[in-house]
Amino acid sequence: MSGQEKTLKIVHFGMPQPFLMNNIVIWMERTGQNRDKLFACDIETGESVTLEIFEGSEYGMSTPCVYENTVYYVSPEGKLTAWNLPLNEKKIIETDTYVHDPKCNGKLIAYLSGNHGEDCILYLIKDEKIIPVAEGVHSYYLGQNFISYNRYDKNYVYLPLR
């Protein structure tokens, strides 16, 4: 709020995508040749903690997301995980497919079935049902009432709550 810049952590490799949860920043970072870590850092104190270590796991390349007090990410074992940090409660959300880049808006959870590309399917979890939305999805965004996604160089919008 002061308008002053503050270094929270020096990142040596890659460009992590930070997510803000109250005064906590969450991100996934490559920290070694075969190691990624899920970090949390308190903006006020600068204190950081490693939430999860991905040693030789391809799931460390998946971007987490934050909704309210919960971090949604793919565990090192490939499980879609919802971790409420203040309560320290982890919940595994069962899927039958590979999970990559999960996102949540409080009503819906979306994820890709691969690491972006023509063989990727965008899935949506609504009322505990897993719904395939589109194939060949390169990237997507989950809004409050829609999912926008890119498929074969075209952009689409899906309205699941209508």
Side-chain angles (χ1 to χ4, degrees):
M1 298 191 84
S2 69
Q4 298 295 314
E5 290 183 18
K6 181 178 183 179
T7 301
L8 297 175
K9 186 169 184 308
I10 302 294
V11 176
H12 297 283
F13 183 77
M15 293 178 52
Q17 295 179 5
F19 294 90
L20 187 61
M21 181 177 76
N22 304 318
N23 63 331
I24 306 291
V25 178
I26 309 286
W27 73 94
M28 186 74 73
E29 180 182 332
R30 172 62 51 112
T31 60
Q33 188 172 358
N34 293 313
R35 180 182 302 130
D36 299 278
K37 292 181 181 178
L38 181 61
F39 283 105
C41 181
D42 186 305
I43 294 172
E44 293 173 12
T45 66
E47 189 175 1
S48 67
V49 64
T50 301
L51 298 174
E52 193 89 65
I53 298 173
F54 297 75
E55 190 70 52
S57 172
E58 64 187 292
Y59 299 104
M61 299 301 290
S62 179
T63 302
C65 92
V66 173
Y67 182 78
E68 292 184 348
N69 291 322
T70 303
V71 179
Y72 293 83
Y73 69 102
V74 184
S75 73
E77 300 78 33
K79 301 290 185 180
L80 178 54
T81 306
W83 187 353
N84 183 306
L85 293 182
L87 299 177
N88 195 23
E89 293 178 356
K90 279 188 187 180
K91 176 183 173 188
I92 301 298
I93 301 165
E94 294 299 329
T95 63
D96 293 335
T97 62
Y98 182 93
V99 178
H100 185 73
D101 288 354
K103 294 178 178 36
C104 179
N105 68 7
K107 299 176 223 158
L108 306 168
I109 298 172
Y111 64 91
L112 296 174
S113 67
N115 296 0
H116 311 274
E118 293 184 11
D119 60 342
C120 235
I121 299 172
L122 173 61
Y123 284 98
L124 173 69
I125 301 175
K126 181 180 177 186
D127 301 324
E128 298 184 16
K129 293 180 185 167
I130 299 174
I131 303 161
V133 174
E135 292 183 35
V137 175
H138 289 271
S139 60
Y140 77 100
Y141 174 79
L142 178 62
Q144 281 301 340
N145 299 310
F146 68 93
I147 300 174
S148 63
Y149 59 93
N150 179 279
R151 178 178 179 254
Y152 305 121
D153 297 326
K154 292 183 181 175
N155 295 316
Y156 298 88
V157 174
Y158 178 72
L159 302 168
L161 298 177
R162 297 192 117 200

